[in-house]
């Protein structure tokens, strides 16, 4: 068994920053962690990682093709609903081949940002008009291959999307998303297979997109397999109002009534909730994935993350529509948004925000053995420079605070997945020109 030794100039070990940490890795896992052993001098033959090394970041909510919307949707004004029309136009142009090229570049951008695992909330299943491809999972397999090519882990959250609204058939844009029924969705998604670096999970797009009498079918498919189950929840007040009109209850209550909530489930956004909703989510230990950069970009609002966590809901983070891809910014924004809302400071420590971006994010995606620097964990970690114009100056013992409140994705120096360098000295080793890959794949989608 080949052992690789890493010397970490500084390492975040869940509660504190330690200098001179030695990490041993074999067969893709951490086999030993030694503190106080290396001092300022790396052991002979060790791979030296200068800066602050933390567990790999988990992007718990992604729509890869939304990356093609960056800047385009910043022209003029509008709402979530007008933004959605532009999104539909991009979705209509994707094929398995162009989606693979785009997602490979997007996932490489994530690796450059220190992300080692992504939860891809995938609902673009079929050809235009809704005709299945010869391989009914061609689009999902394109995403799985893209993640492998970019060197990161993926949880493919295959999404049921069956309706354009409560009781309404899919519109012409949404025909690509729909399998017709939840049973047909389950039959298709059951063909997907897990493999090295790949988890298969499920998602309910939203209560407006899956009829109430079919919610349990999706939930049962996930629960029977112990698979992650995610759902967009109360992102917009209009959805809440429509749900109340159709069912006489909130979206959270509707999900609870149909067995969707629970420890394997993560609600994405959870923005506009009642006190009763928060109690249901917390008491069921349903997770919450906050996506602050998208929530502010779409003018969604600021969700009750503090109340949700206090009620028992674990917090994770996602870049969602990829207005930016920067999990450090997502972590920072969750705290700063709450400061704006409450006009008080210090709701989460830097350590708590890093846990949301690492261990709790991985857990939400079914990667429970990732997100920590300890023996037995997957050897997924990232190193953040402490000598850039953003991070230079603070003493090393405050490196976690520096990472969360000052650093950005541009400060990521190394990304290692399964003990293998994916990004070294800021360069992606298998996609060496990520900007060109992004530009070319996005240009191919222009109408």
């Amino acid at each position: 068994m080949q052992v690789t030794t890493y010397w970490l100039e500084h390492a975040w070990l869940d509660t504190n920053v330690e200098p001179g940490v030695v990490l041993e890795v074999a067969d893709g896992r951490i086999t030993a962690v030694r503190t106080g052993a290396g001092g300022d001098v790396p052991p002979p033959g060790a791979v030296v990682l200068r800066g602050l090394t933390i567990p790999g970041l988990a992007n718990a909510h992604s729509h890869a093709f939304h990356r093609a919307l960056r800047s385009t949707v910043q022209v003029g004004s509008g709402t979530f609903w007008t933004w959605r029309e532009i999104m539909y136009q991009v979705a209509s142009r994707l094929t398995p081949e162009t989606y693979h090229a785009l997602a490979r570049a997007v996932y490489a951008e994530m690796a450059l940002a220190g992300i080692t695992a992504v939860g891809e909330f995938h609902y673009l299943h079929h050809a235009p008009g809704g005709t299945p491809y010869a391989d009914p999972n061609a689009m999902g397999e394109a995403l799985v291959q893209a993640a492998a090519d970019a060197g990161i882990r993926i949880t493919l959250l295959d999404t049921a999307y069956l309706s354009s609204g409560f009781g309404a058939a899919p519109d012409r844009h949404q025909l690509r998303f729909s399998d017709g029924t939840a049973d047909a969705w389950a039959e298709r998604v059951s063909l997907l297979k897990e493999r090295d670096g790949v988890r298969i999970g499920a998602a309910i797009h939203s209560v407006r997109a899956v009829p109430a009498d079919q919610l349990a079918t999706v939930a049962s498919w996930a629960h029977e397999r112990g698979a992650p189950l995610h759902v967009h929840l109360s992102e917009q007040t209009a959805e809440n109002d429509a749900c109340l009109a159709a069912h006489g209850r909130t979206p959270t209550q509707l999900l609870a009534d149909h067995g969707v909530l629970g420890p394997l489930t993560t609600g994405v956004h959870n923005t506009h909730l009642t006190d009763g909703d928060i109690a249901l989510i917390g008491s069921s230990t349903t997770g919450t994935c906050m996506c602050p950069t998208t929530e502010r970009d779409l003018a969604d609002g600021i969700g009750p993350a503090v109340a949700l966590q206090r009620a028992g809901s674990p917090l994770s983070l996602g870049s969602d529509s990829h207005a930016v891809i920067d999990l450090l910014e997502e972590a920072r924004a969750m705290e700063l948004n709450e400061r704006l809302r409450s006009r008080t400071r210090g709701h989460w420590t830097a350590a708590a925000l890093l846990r949301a971006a690492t261990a709790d994010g991985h857990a939400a995606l079914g990667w429970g053995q990732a997100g920590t620097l300890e023996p037995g964990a997957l050897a997924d970690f990232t190193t953040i420079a402490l000598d850039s114009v953003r991070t230079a100056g603070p003493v090393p013992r405050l490196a976690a605070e520096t990472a969360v409140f000052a650093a950005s994705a541009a400060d990521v120096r190394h990304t290692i997945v399964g003990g293998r360098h994916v990004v070294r000295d800021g360069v992606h080793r298998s996609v060496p020109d990520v900007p060109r890959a992004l530009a070319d794949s996005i240009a191919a989608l222009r109408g």
Side-chain angles (χ1 to χ4, degrees), residues 12-39:
W12 179 66
L13 300 182
D14 190 40
T15 58
N16 59 295
V17 175
E18 291 280 350
V21 173
V22 173
L23 220 63
E24 292 181 356
V25 172
D27 292 336
R29 291 185 179 268
I30 298 170
T31 56
V33 179
R34 298 200 299 275
T35 61

Side-chain angles (χ1 to χ4, degrees), residues 31 33 99 132 156 205 223 248 283 291 295 318 327 360 385 392 421 434 437 443 447:
T31 56
V33 179
Y99 205 4
L156 188 70
H205 180 273
H223 295 160
S283 63
C291 305
E295 289 150 7
L327 262 287
D360 290 345
H421 247 110
V434 177

Side-chain angles (χ1 to χ4, degrees), residues 3 10 51 65 85 87 123 144 215 241-242 265 276 284 310 314 353 356 362 365 394 403 415 426 431 447:
V3 177
H10 303 283
F65 76 90
E85 292 303 312
M87 179 269 287
Y123 54 82
V144 166
L215 291 169
D241 294 342
T265 302
S284 61
R310 286 176 180 165
L353 293 168
H362 282 97
L365 297 178
T415 303
V431 189

